[in-house]
Amino acid sequence: MGMTSRKVTPASLPRTLEQDAERQWQRFVESMTRSGLADSQAEAFHRCRSRPELKAVWACSDFISHTCISDPLLLIGLLESGDLDRRYSPGGYHSAVANRVGPCTDEEALHRKLRQVRRREMVRIAWRDLAGFSDLEETMSDLSALAEQAIGLALSHHSRWLSERLGKPFGFNGEPASMVVLGLGKLGGSELNYSSDVDLIFAYDHPGQTRPEPGRDSTDNQVYFIKLGQKIISALAQVTTDGLVFRTDMRLRPNGGNGPLVLSCPAMEHYYQTHGRDWERYALIKARHVAGNEDARQEIFGILKPFVYRKYLDFGAFDSIREMKGMIERELEQADSDQNIKLGWGGIREVEFLVQSHQLIRGGRENLLQTPSLYAAMDALQNLGVMDEEASAGLTAAYRFFRNTEHRLQMTRDRQTQTLPQSQSDRARLAWSMGFDSWDHYIAQLDAHRNLVHSQFRMILDEAADSPGSDDHRQKQLVDLWQGKLDEAQSGEILGQIGFEPSNSVPQLLKAFREGRLYQAFSGIERDRIDRLVPLALKEAGTHNDTGRAMAAFISVIESIGRRSAYLSLLIENPIALKQLLHLCAASPWISRHIGLHPVVLDELLHPIMDIRDRDDRELESELERRLAQLDSNDAEGWNHALREFQHAQVLRIAAADVSKVLSMADVHRALVQLAEVLLNHVFGDAIRFVEGKQGPAPCAGGVIAYGKFASGELGYHSDLDVVVCYDPALADNPVPRGRAEYFYSRVGQRLVHLLSARTQAGLLYETDMRLRPGGRSGTLAVSLSGFFDYQVHDAWTWEHQALVRARVAVGNRELANRFEQARAAILAMERDPDQLVGDITGMRRKMIQENCKSTEQLYDIKLDEGGIVDIEFLIQYWILRHAHDCPGLTEPRTTSDSIRALVAHGMIDAAVGEQLLASYQTLLRHSLDLKLMDRPVLIEQGALLAERQAVKEVWQQAFG
């Protein structure tokens, strides 16, 4: 029989347990009779007798039966209040505990009442659990809430009494000082054990002194709060005739048992920044505010969060996690480890280790993992794809089984134990309370869960263990080479054996880096990780065609990220990431520089770069939304960082797919435009909301007009966004006051430029160019569609009409876009003087060459020189402006290639001319992209691509003479 949450009855009890329960009942009857309660509380006595689950609960818990026998009124009170049969409402424990403790005049009264309330509530919680009235989540939540309220009451009472003696504490800044209590471990996760210790950390916000009554000496706040902490511990853990409330464990505080009982927030910040260790980060994952001042809570978590969670995938924690795992494995070798469901193989500790290790490594990047709740963290790991659904479900089921077992063990006698029982009676009791008809069936299920957990536990870090080891002979040679222990001939021979060119300069490159000031300035940890990484990189670089370029670019990346040693660990621990990095370094210096500038994108290399050709806007949008959803809605800085990190990561994906020949040139342009549109849509929406927060709702619909390469779907890696903010009062629900829409959307334009172009620690999103708006730099930052149309008809230059050929609405509602398209088509279709059009276009072209062309006697500017990309674009724009009046269909395409095809289809140019222009354009554009990936100017040898350039010149000559 599998585990169930059955409601137990006497009829279902095994014979041995039924006999034990019957004996306990007789003792209860005798206690009621002796005390006279059998007569004075006859109705209550009858109510006890009629409880169908009573004997079964007592059979499973000596603690409950003995407590009820020694204090029958406790059980009677639980029955009369109805508390055994109802679940407390959210926050119900506050009133349940606070009302029963009530006002206390002294320490003795507080101690007595807290212990009485604790005993009552522990009977209630265990009763409901064993009777099947509550589930595991309710049991853990109630236990945690009971502990929180007990801690909170101890803090509030003793704060008042201590302040009466020593005066109230104040900071040197004059602000009142107060304590905050953090719960860690199971209490921090709201998953407290039935008989658990509570792991606590005490802190206070402001260093300073108390302000006592006149004539008395002040007390340093540190002394005051240490006394307060001692009083809280005494209130909880001191054993009196009434027992205790909760044992307290303070060993997780800074410096452990040797450190001060309480630290100020500034002292705590200094400790974690200077001395904090990885095991403390691991422990503080579970930290949660359980009592004390709310403002102090915010301050202390502002300190702890950056210490616990790095802003990147924290593979620097791998060594510490490996050490912790090794310690666990050594302890498992001890005798009888299989008898402990927490510390034994496949037990509670292994589940916690699995989940919290992922939290430590990934929590800085995934806010969903920043939770003290193990259940919430497991759900997040599944949602994020770190853990598959089957593994997650298996671990969750195993953890529930272990925790239910743990509670039933501890509910038996209210003792802190996780050891399986040895006596036959206790085994029968545990098996039956867990829903099994025999001990053997229970153990079979327990072992099944343990096997699953232990197999998952053994797999963690296995991928990292597969990386080349230091005992490998070849690896030792590469270590010696890196450390400069080999002469030039030996180094050349070893490098040649692994694929490097005979004439490579890698030994000199490595020597310069090793002896350079940057490497020498690295910390011991950073140098140690570089010493482990470089030999691995040498071995991987040897598999690429341009080995020298791969290593040179790799060293450049390491010089950029070396101070962030966790990224070095990421590459050491993940062969896939290192392999892809070396591939990208060999293929594109621009990509390696991009990685060096934005090392957070290294996270993208953890999995093979995927084909992104079929990704639609919704998929990209949902990925961005998932990242932004993890941020606090008021965290503007975090929002800006997230957008930039997302953009950098996506550009890396596109470039990596480009150099791997996964994407065509058109795919690259399309992907870069798609990314820009998704980000621009977010930024424009945020700019609208920002201005609405200052001025009220937007007066009418607005949008963003795209120009240039962004508009034509041919965006490059370095391209600016040419944009103009527009609005249309005609689309407003109500008449818009004159000037209101212009002022509103001008503010939106200012905010838009700031959000896109502001440099943060994460860089910028895009350089923006808004000079194509009416009036250029001197014009308003936003333009109405009617004003735009009027300007284009009466005042615009020919070059502005040329720019309009590729323009489109990139962000805005459909009606706004339709109205813009109508205005644009009408403007492009205006009848023009052919001679003036030729003069304007050729004059502008000459001016561009004279002022901006970078050609020399040896080098040719692919974009701006005669026969280059701009010549082709100007030819197309000329033909469209020349013939759109008679052939309106020419205005529909936006890309250069589609416009060429439209001109051929409408008979404006010969098919042969169109094919030649199209071939030349794509060849020139491909070379331009490749040069950017190589981080070089868009210049080629004067003798290169002569046929393509000459073909363009001939068409230009035919068109303009």
Side-chain angles (χ1 to χ4, degrees):
M1 178 172 65
M3 177 185 172
T4 64
S5 181
R6 59 178 163 193
K7 292 190 176 181
V8 293
T9 63
S12 66
L13 271 172
R15 180 63 181 165
T16 56
L17 296 182
E18 185 178 3
Q19 291 173 345
D20 187 48
E22 184 62 36
R23 285 192 294 271
Q24 303 292 2
W25 172 252
Q26 292 304 321
R27 292 179 60 200
F28 178 75
V29 172
E30 292 170 5
S31 176
M32 291 280 289
T33 302
R34 265 195 320 272
S35 60
L37 292 173
D39 295 327
S40 64
Q41 299 283 341
E43 184 178 345
F45 180 67
H46 175 73
R47 193 178 296 116
C48 294
R49 186 196 301 273
S50 65
R51 296 289 296 196
E53 81 282 1
L54 181 143
K55 289 185 178 180
V57 169
W58 283 9
C60 293
S61 174
D62 292 344
F63 163 70
I64 295 177
S65 61
H66 293 170
T67 302
C68 293
I69 291 166
S70 63
D71 187 4
L73 285 176
L74 185 149
L75 176 58
I76 291 171
L78 283 169
L79 292 172
E80 289 180 343
S81 66
D83 285 350
L84 282 183
D85 297 306
R86 68 182 179 91
R87 181 173 190 161
Y88 284 160
S89 62
Y93 253 105
H94 177 76
S95 56
V97 176
N99 291 343
R100 292 186 179 280
V101 171
C104 297
T105 57
D106 56 36
E107 188 172 339
E108 182 181 351
L110 175 65
H111 286 204
R112 182 177 64 257
K113 290 183 178 181
L114 283 175
R115 283 150 180 77
Q116 290 171 351
V117 170
R118 186 262 183 194
R119 186 168 63 251
R120 177 188 191 273
E121 292 304 314
M122 295 299 273
V123 169
R124 174 190 172 274
I125 293 168
W127 188 298
R128 286 180 54 76
D129 189 318
L130 293 170
F133 298 167
S134 65
D135 57 17
L136 175 64
E137 285 70 25
E138 179 185 332
T139 299
M140 295 189 300
S141 177
D142 280 1
L143 289 166
S144 302
L146 174 62
E148 285 180 50
Q149 293 306 318
I151 295 166
L153 286 169
L155 172 60
S156 62
H157 280 79
H158 280 295
S159 292
R160 175 165 51 86
W161 294 331
L162 196 60
S163 294
E164 290 171 357
R165 286 173 42 217
L166 303 178
K168 291 184 177 180
F170 285 83
F172 293 122
N173 56 5
E175 293 286 329
S178 55
M179 176 180 275
V180 61
V181 182
L182 302 183
L184 286 81
K186 296 293 195 304
L187 174 60
S190 296
E191 298 154 351
L192 200 61
N193 296 343
Y194 188 75
S195 296
S196 176
D197 298 351
V198 289
D199 297 299
L200 303 178
I201 291 179
F202 298 145
Y204 64 97
D205 45 9
H206 304 305
Q209 292 184 320
T210 63
R211 296 179 183 176
E213 294 178 0
R216 307 181 80 175
D217 293 334
S218 63
T219 302
D220 186 85
N221 282 356
Q222 177 82 2
V223 175
Y224 175 94
F225 285 111
I226 287 176
K227 289 180 181 293
L228 179 57
Q230 291 168 339
K231 288 295 185 181
I232 293 171
I233 294 171
S234 175
L236 297 173
Q238 182 179 338
V239 179
T240 71
T241 55
D242 295 299
L244 54 71
V245 187
F246 287 97
R247 291 175 298 274
T248 59
D249 189 337
M250 306 296 299
R251 291 174 295 176
L252 294 177
R253 69 183 188 267
N255 282 314
N258 297 320
L261 184 65
V262 189
L263 281 180
S264 68
C265 287
M268 190 168 283
E269 182 173 25
H270 174 75
Y271 171 82
Y272 287 122
Q273 286 183 350
T274 308
H275 306 293
R277 291 156 289 183
D278 281 330
W279 72 261
E280 289 176 295
R281 294 176 56 207
Y282 183 86
L284 287 168
I285 286 172
K286 306 292 284 185
R288 181 172 64 88
H289 171 260
V290 295
N293 182 270
E294 182 66 20
D295 291 336
R297 179 197 75 83
Q298 294 176 351
E299 183 174 355
I300 196 167
F301 276 98
I303 293 168
L304 295 181
K305 182 176 177 180
F307 170 66
V308 177
Y309 297 109
R310 306 304 195 229
K311 286 187 176 181
Y312 39 77
L313 283 180
D314 189 10
F315 286 92
F318 253 111
D319 287 341
S320 297
I321 292 172
R322 188 178 284 111
E323 290 173 8
M324 286 186 272
K325 182 186 178 188
M327 179 193 70
I328 294 172
E329 289 173 330
R330 288 191 295 274
E331 290 181 3
L332 294 180
E333 296 172 1
Q334 300 175 5
D336 299 327
S337 68
D338 60 337
Q339 298 302 303
N340 191 301
I341 61 166
K342 177 181 179 181
L343 304 179
W345 67 273
I348 292 171
R349 181 171 59 174
E350 291 188 9
V351 179
E352 294 171 341
F353 181 83
L354 277 164
V355 175
Q356 288 175 247
S357 296
H358 285 302
Q359 287 182 270
L360 198 63
I361 294 169
R362 294 173 168 81
R365 292 282 289 157
E366 303 291 353
N367 287 12
L368 290 174
L369 292 173
Q370 294 181 14
T371 171
S373 166
L374 194 81
Y375 284 112
M378 282 197 282
D379 288 343
L381 288 172
Q382 180 182 329
N383 293 335
L384 295 168
V386 177
M387 191 179 290
D388 63 43
E389 185 175 355
E390 183 179 356
S392 178
L395 286 176
T396 302
Y399 187 70
R400 290 180 60 84
F401 188 93
F402 299 153
R403 293 302 306 277
N404 275 311
T405 294
E406 180 182 47
H407 283 163
R408 281 149 179 75
L409 287 171
Q410 296 178 353
M411 287 173 181
T412 302
R413 298 178 182 90
D414 192 16
R415 294 177 184 170
Q416 188 181 26
T417 180
Q418 288 93 12
T419 302
L420 294 174
Q422 299 303 307
S423 72
Q424 293 300 317
S425 60
D426 281 348
R427 286 182 170 184
R429 186 191 330 238
L430 175 61
W432 184 81
S433 68
M434 286 290 291
F436 294 87
D437 56 10
S438 73
W439 177 251
D440 289 342
H441 288 159
Y442 165 77
I443 286 295
Q445 185 64 64
L446 174 66
D447 286 345
H449 285 307
R450 282 173 150 183
N451 282 322
L452 182 146
V453 170
H454 196 59
S455 66
Q456 293 287 322
F457 172 77
R458 290 179 65 87
M459 282 194 297
I460 194 168
L461 306 179
D462 277 356
E463 183 180 89
D466 290 339
S467 60
S470 61
D471 57 342
D472 177 77
H473 177 65
R474 174 68 71 201
Q475 202 66 19
K476 283 184 177 180
Q477 290 179 316
L478 294 176
V479 169
D480 289 343
L481 191 156
W482 156 243
Q483 294 178 348
K485 296 179 180 180
L486 307 180
D487 60 30
E488 186 175 340
Q490 291 172 317
S491 297
E493 181 181 355
I494 292 169
L495 289 173
Q497 290 171 356
I498 63 173
F500 281 76
E501 301 90 341
S503 59
N504 74 81
S505 59
V506 170
Q508 292 78 16
L509 172 73
L510 297 179
K511 183 174 185 292
F513 175 50
R514 190 176 61 249
E515 296 178 356
R517 286 186 299 174
L518 190 63
Y519 175 79
Q520 297 300 322
F522 286 150
S523 69
I525 292 176
E526 292 158 354
R527 276 200 263 176
D528 177 66
R529 290 177 180 172
I530 291 174
D531 290 345
R532 294 164 59 192
L533 177 60
V534 171
L536 298 176
L538 284 167
K539 187 173 183 180
E540 178 58 41
T543 65
H544 295 281
N545 291 332
D546 197 333
T547 53
R549 187 166 71 194
M551 277 308 296
F554 174 79
I555 292 298
S556 177
V557 170
I558 298 306
E559 287 176 336
S560 299
I561 69 173
R563 288 292 185 192
R564 307 176 190 185
S565 59
Y567 287 129
L568 303 176
S569 292
L570 181 153
L571 296 169
I572 293 168
E573 302 289 351
N574 291 272
I576 290 177
L578 182 60
K579 183 181 184 69
Q580 294 200 122
L581 175 60
L582 265 298
H583 169 69
L584 296 175
C585 284
S588 169
W590 177 81
I591 295 179
S592 63
R593 188 164 65 86
H594 180 78
I595 294 170
L597 290 172
H598 314 293
V600 70
V601 301
L602 284 168
D603 298 349
E604 299 298 321
L605 304 181
L606 290 172
H607 306 286
I609 297 293
M610 302 302 291
D611 190 343
I612 59 174
R613 282 174 298 184
D614 299 326
R615 185 174 57 177
D616 59 23
D617 288 355
R618 286 172 297 179
E619 184 179 349
L620 192 63
E621 180 79 26
S622 64
E623 186 176 348
L624 177 57
E625 288 286 1
R626 181 180 66 78
R627 296 199 184 191
L628 296 178
Q630 300 180 46
L631 300 175
D632 187 309
S633 58
N634 297 319
D635 186 3
E637 182 181 1
W639 188 85
N640 276 321
H641 279 314
L643 286 182
R644 282 155 175 75
E645 289 177 358
F646 181 79
Q647 196 262 6
H648 302 328
Q650 298 303 319
V651 168
L652 176 67
R653 287 190 191 180
I654 296 165
D658 186 3
V659 299
S660 300
K661 307 305 180 185
V662 172
L663 298 182
S664 68
M665 182 174 64
D667 292 330
V668 171
H669 290 313
R670 191 178 302 114
L672 290 169
V673 169
Q674 178 190 50
L675 173 62
E677 287 177 342
V678 168
L679 288 166
L680 182 63
N681 185 56
H682 267 274
V683 171
F684 184 72
D686 185 74
I688 291 281
R689 289 187 291 272
F690 177 82
V691 178
E692 284 183 329
K694 306 285 186 182
Q695 299 184 20
C700 59
V704 179
I705 301 170
Y707 279 90
K709 297 290 188 183
F710 182 29
S712 68
E714 297 161 329
L715 208 59
Y717 292 113
H718 298 171
S719 296
D720 299 348
L721 297 189
D722 295 309
V723 293
V724 172
V725 174
C726 66
Y727 59 91
D728 191 355
L731 296 178
D733 295 331
N734 300 303
V736 180
R738 181 177 178 86
R740 162 125 168 80
E742 179 181 324
Y743 181 71
F744 183 93
Y745 279 103
S746 292
R747 292 290 304 277
V748 169
Q750 292 172 347
R751 183 69 177 172
L752 180 74
V753 172
H754 169 74
L755 292 173
L756 288 172
S757 303
R759 285 195 178 274
T760 71
Q761 290 180 341
L764 53 72
L765 277 178
Y766 294 97
E767 294 283 4
T768 57
D769 189 340
M770 301 186 73
R771 290 174 297 176
L772 286 171
R773 66 187 186 271
R777 286 193 178 95
S778 61
T780 60
L781 276 176
V783 59
S784 69
L785 281 187
S786 59
F788 174 84
F789 182 82
D790 184 69
Y791 174 84
Q792 291 285 346
V793 170
H794 298 105
D795 299 310
W797 298 82
T798 298
W799 67 264
E800 291 177 286
H801 288 176
Q802 287 179 251
L804 198 61
V805 167
R806 297 191 289 192
R808 63 184 173 86
V809 172
V811 174
N813 64 37
R814 183 172 297 177
E815 183 60 27
L816 180 75
N818 289 340
R819 290 173 67 85
F820 171 80
E821 286 298 317
Q822 293 168 8
R824 171 185 169 275
I827 294 163
L828 294 180
M830 291 191 307
E831 190 168 8
R832 292 172 172 82
D833 182 314
D835 293 335
Q836 182 179 345
L837 182 62
V838 170
D840 288 347
I841 287 179
T842 55
M844 175 59 69
R845 185 71 184 97
R846 283 194 300 272
K847 183 178 179 181
M848 289 178 68
I849 293 174
Q850 292 167 1
E851 295 181 359
N852 300 314
C853 181
K854 296 181 175 60
S855 293
T856 66
E857 290 184 4
Q858 294 79 31
L859 299 175
Y860 170 79
D861 188 329
I862 290 178
K863 180 180 179 181
L864 291 172
D865 207 346
E866 293 179 6
I869 291 172
V870 174
D871 266 7
I872 298 173
E873 293 171 346
F874 268 49
L875 280 165
I876 292 164
Q877 292 158 13
Y878 163 71
W879 285 322
I880 290 174
L881 293 176
R882 174 74 175 82
H883 300 294
H885 177 72
D886 299 315
C887 188
L890 292 176
T891 66
E892 294 177 7
R894 296 300 193 278
T895 72
T896 302
S897 299
D898 287 345
S899 294
I900 292 173
R901 296 185 185 101
L903 287 164
V904 172
H906 286 87
M908 299 302 161
I909 60 175
D910 292 339
V913 171
E915 290 177 9
Q916 185 61 63
L917 285 178
L918 196 58
S920 296
Y921 182 74
Q922 290 176 345
T923 299
L924 292 167
L925 203 59
R926 179 70 263 178
H927 273 72
S928 175
L929 269 180
D930 290 344
L931 287 166
K932 289 174 182 177
L933 285 172
M934 297 309 295
D935 213 16
R936 295 177 184 169
V938 187
L939 303 170
I940 58 176
E941 297 291 334
Q942 279 288 3
L945 303 180
L946 288 176
E948 289 81 2
R949 292 154 53 186
Q950 185 59 36
V952 175
K953 288 180 181 180
E954 289 174 2
V955 176
W956 183 277
Q957 185 67 23
Q958 293 168 8
F960 298 117

